[in-house]
Amino acid sequence: MSDDFSYASAEKTAAAIRSKIDKRSPTVGIILGSGLGGLAEKIEGAVRIPYADVPGFPVPKALGHAGTLICGELGGKQVVAMAGRFHIYEGHPPALAGFPVRVMHALGVRTLFVSNAAGGVNERYHAGDLMIIEDHLNLMFTNPLIGPQQPGEERFTDMGNAYDDKLRGLLRNAANANGVTIHEGVYAALFGPSYETRAEVRMLRTLGADAIGMSTVPEVLVARALGIRVAGISAITNAASGVTNAPVSHAEVLDVGRQIAARFEAIVTEFVARLD
Ligand code: HPA
């Protein structure tokens, strides 16, 4: 694994991927969260590339993260999907967590759909619910953009419309069209890998978080610096610590993720089809 997460390095990675996917140029990027990898099976004419064959990508170790790049067609669009992402809790530098988005941009991606498994902080949310990400709180207090400014990236990125208003509308419509009730709320990203204490969850609620997780924000920061529009969904796999008395377990997170999968896949496919 290299430690060069520059845009130039991303272009080299993109060239290696392009050599495996013929002339197809993906315009939509999709990042699949824990337990949500099943969407990859819906991608037609898929070319599957294990991360071991993607220069610059480490092989992920988190359970429930396959570590495959899938290029093909979904909802009539050419997409590149990541089943398995790079978390800072694995010991990866923040810049690596955002690096795949540079690669996607170099491949032609201009719209990014992000997803994650998250704990419900909002007391009205239940395990098995879905939430459109309205905005985020970067409680990782780091940023993959720290370091030399990369070509094509803004140095001081406006994060005011990070989760694009218009795309959130498309997600709402896609959910309605499939008869799926969906929340809209704020995702807070923490490092993990431990889940939160009850006091931390109370604090997060006070800060305005509706859901919490350990990913997504680094990828969104890079996407916005590159001018990629972003939309995302959190799969609420559990009530956050203290919301109920149940302990939070990774097995439950993956299991509920799978129960959510059919609704999630229907919405994302419809959303991609509706993109202009
Ligand atoms: N906290 C943090 N991350 C998570 C959770 C949680 O409760 N559930 C799934 N990912």
Side-chain angles (χ1 to χ4, degrees), residues 13 63 90 183 192:
T13 302
L63 292 174
E90 292 172 82
H183 304 292

Side-chain angles (χ1 to χ4, degrees), residues 117-119 195-196 212-214 237-238 240 248 253:
Y195 293 118
E196 302 70 29
I212 35 176
M214 307 173 190
T237 52
N238 57 280
V248 184
V253 167

Side-chain angles (χ1 to χ4, degrees), residues 166-180:
K166 187 162 160 256
L167 296 188
R168 283 192 285 119
L170 283 188
L171 276 177
R172 276 193 296 273
N173 294 343
N176 282 343
N178 283 282
V180 176

Side-chain angles (χ1 to χ4, degrees), residues 121-141:
V121 173
N122 187 316
E123 281 159 322
R124 287 180 323 205
Y125 292 6
H126 298 103
D129 288 356
L130 290 169
M131 182 192 90
I132 296 170
I133 306 176
E134 180 195 328
D135 210 341
H136 76 218
L137 292 169
N138 180 6
L139 303 179
M140 292 172 162
F141 298 112

